[in-house]
Amino acid sequence: MAIMTATSASPTLLWYIPNTVEPGHRGDDVTTGWADLELIAELAGIAERHGWSGALLGTGWGRPDTLTIATALAARTTTFRPLAAIRPGYWQPAPFASAAATLDHLSGGRLLVNVVSGTDDAGAYGDDVTTNPRRYARTAEFMQLVRRLWEEEDVTFSGEYYWVKSSTLPLRPARRPTLYFGGASPAAERVAAEHADVQLFWGEPLDGVAQRIARLGALAARAGREHPPLEFGLRITTVARATADEAWEVAEQKVAAMAGAAGQLDETPAGRGWAAAAGQQRLQSLAQRGEVLDSCLYTAPARFGGQGAATTWLVGSFDEVADALAKYAALGISHFILSDTPYKAEAARAGDELLPRLRARWPA
């Protein structure tokens, strides 16, 4: 198997802002939820001061609107780059392209965009495109049209899901927002290979990530990709402390709390009837291979309700976790979206201790 090496001169290092109205997100200590301007601005400021490029803002019906939150945070910070997760079923491409271009223009080119096609409470906002093939076919059109509106004037487009006639935005982005994208199904990978700038992976073992990078590269070549080469990112929880013993003690305490909340130690997400996307199914299956994979990839959280980035964790000393992240970088990962709770304290801790170690290990 051909192994790619990281080509970026430096990594893009992002934290996570949960953007929820409910408190206690993934064991966080904030008791009010995050729908408070001072609170989210404080977390964005911590990220900015402690070495992060910016942060991902979660999306989904029942959460505050991500683009509005991104605008507020851009106004309260100087270098912080909000990675706003958005959904094609929630947004029409032309209004989104205009809103995003306006924010990017006003912030001096700081907006990043994560296009999300996974399932949601679509009926709550009148979206009837819910099957996997149609969702990703629509996403392909959405990304094509948004790109054109950001880059061209007098755009006319007619597709199966969207159309515009003689459309020109009043403002162009200061720097065209990078389009992040995730998904592990065949339909999702085809969209990424043709239209995304960055394909995001959950915390899979190194061999799985290497296989997916190779497959996506082949898909992009067959599709005759028109854009710059596809880049790759990792979205994962990191539990990093001064010593491995301390980190594992913290991780095991967190998993014990998750197990208590789940009600019984051997209960799995699948056993409770949770529907999972292809990427989530891949993560949940990892626990069958072992509780710790590679050097320090902890799979136990998947057994007790861990979802998405909380399904697998990198656990260890700052040096051990930095070594693990550097191995992903050697495969071609150049974008990292990390998190741990409590979000404020860990943004500072990981920013001060983990990020310098990762930068020092960055492939030449």
Side-chain angles (χ1 to χ4, degrees):
M1 178 187 302
I3 300 298
M4 299 176 62
T5 57
T7 56
S8 297
S10 60
T12 298
L13 302 170
L14 302 170
W15 192 245
Y16 177 67
I17 294 178
N19 188 28
T20 59
V21 296
E22 297 85 4
H25 186 264
R26 293 178 180 164
D28 191 26
D29 61 356
V30 170
T31 59
T32 58
W34 286 91
D36 175 271
L37 178 58
E38 297 305 322
L39 188 60
I40 57 174
E42 181 185 7
L43 180 50
I46 291 170
E48 186 174 65
R49 293 191 301 273
H50 291 271
W52 301 94
S53 306
L56 170 65
L57 309 177
T59 188
W61 189 254
R63 293 188 178 194
D65 176 72
T66 50
L67 209 59
T68 304
I69 298 293
T71 302
L73 295 181
R76 289 292 194 99
T77 54
T78 304
T79 62
F80 176 89
R81 305 193 70 188
L83 173 52
I86 61 97
R87 293 177 180 271
Y90 180 90
W91 283 97
Q92 287 286 315
F96 169 73
S98 180
T102 302
L103 171 53
D104 194 74
H105 177 88
L106 295 176
S107 67
R110 286 191 277 145
L111 178 64
L112 305 168
V113 174
N114 180 25
V115 180
V116 179
S117 292
T119 56
D120 193 20
D121 186 6
Y125 46 90
D127 179 17
D128 61 358
V129 178
T130 56
T131 62
N132 178 292
R134 295 188 69 217
R135 281 189 287 110
Y136 287 105
R138 180 179 65 180
T139 296
E141 285 191 10
F142 183 93
M143 295 171 82
Q144 284 178 287
L145 183 50
V146 165
R147 279 182 182 272
R148 289 190 59 191
L149 289 165
W150 282 339
E151 296 171 356
E152 303 174 24
E153 294 184 357
D154 197 30
V155 175
T156 294
F157 179 94
S158 180
E160 181 180 355
Y161 299 93
Y162 302 117
W163 67 274
V164 296
K165 183 178 180 181
S166 301
S167 183
T168 300
L169 298 184
L171 287 173
R172 295 291 184 85
R175 174 173 55 184
R176 183 185 65 76
T178 301
L179 292 175
Y180 290 70
F181 183 73
S185 69
E189 290 192 338
R190 287 192 297 270
V191 172
E194 291 189 53
H195 304 294
D197 295 314
V198 179
Q199 165 73 41
L200 288 174
F201 302 127
W202 297 121
E204 296 188 40
L206 294 164
D207 58 356
V209 170
Q211 291 166 12
R212 292 196 62 197
I213 288 175
R215 184 165 63 248
L216 284 158
L219 283 171
R222 289 200 298 270
R225 179 181 171 87
E226 300 176 353
H227 309 298
L230 182 64
E231 298 181 16
F232 303 99
L234 180 70
R235 170 74 184 102
I236 193 169
T237 295
T238 53
V239 181
R241 299 294 188 272
T243 68
D245 287 345
E246 181 185 358
W248 280 105
E249 182 179 0
V250 170
E252 289 168 357
Q253 289 173 350
K254 288 175 180 281
V255 167
M258 293 169 63
Q264 59 183 62
L265 291 177
D266 60 352
E267 192 173 34
T268 64
R272 294 194 296 277
W274 290 6
Q280 186 64 43
Q281 291 173 0
R282 290 170 65 94
L283 292 187
Q284 290 172 354
S285 68
L286 293 177
Q288 300 171 10
R289 291 172 51 181
E291 192 166 89
V292 181
L293 303 178
D294 293 340
S295 60
C296 59
L297 185 68
Y298 191 33
T299 66
R303 295 170 50 208
F304 308 115
Q307 294 282 286
T311 311
T312 56
W313 306 345
L314 290 175
V315 181
S317 69
F318 295 120
D319 284 317
E320 288 171 339
V321 173
D323 286 340
L325 293 172
K327 290 175 183 177
Y328 286 104
L331 299 179
I333 301 293
S334 56
H335 301 254
F336 294 88
I337 306 172
L338 310 180
S339 63
D340 188 15
T341 55
Y343 289 108
K344 291 192 294 182
E346 295 309 320
R349 187 202 307 264
D352 292 346
E353 300 290 349
L354 182 59
L355 297 193
R357 288 169 166 85
L358 177 56
R359 291 189 178 101
R361 290 163 170 77
W362 195 247

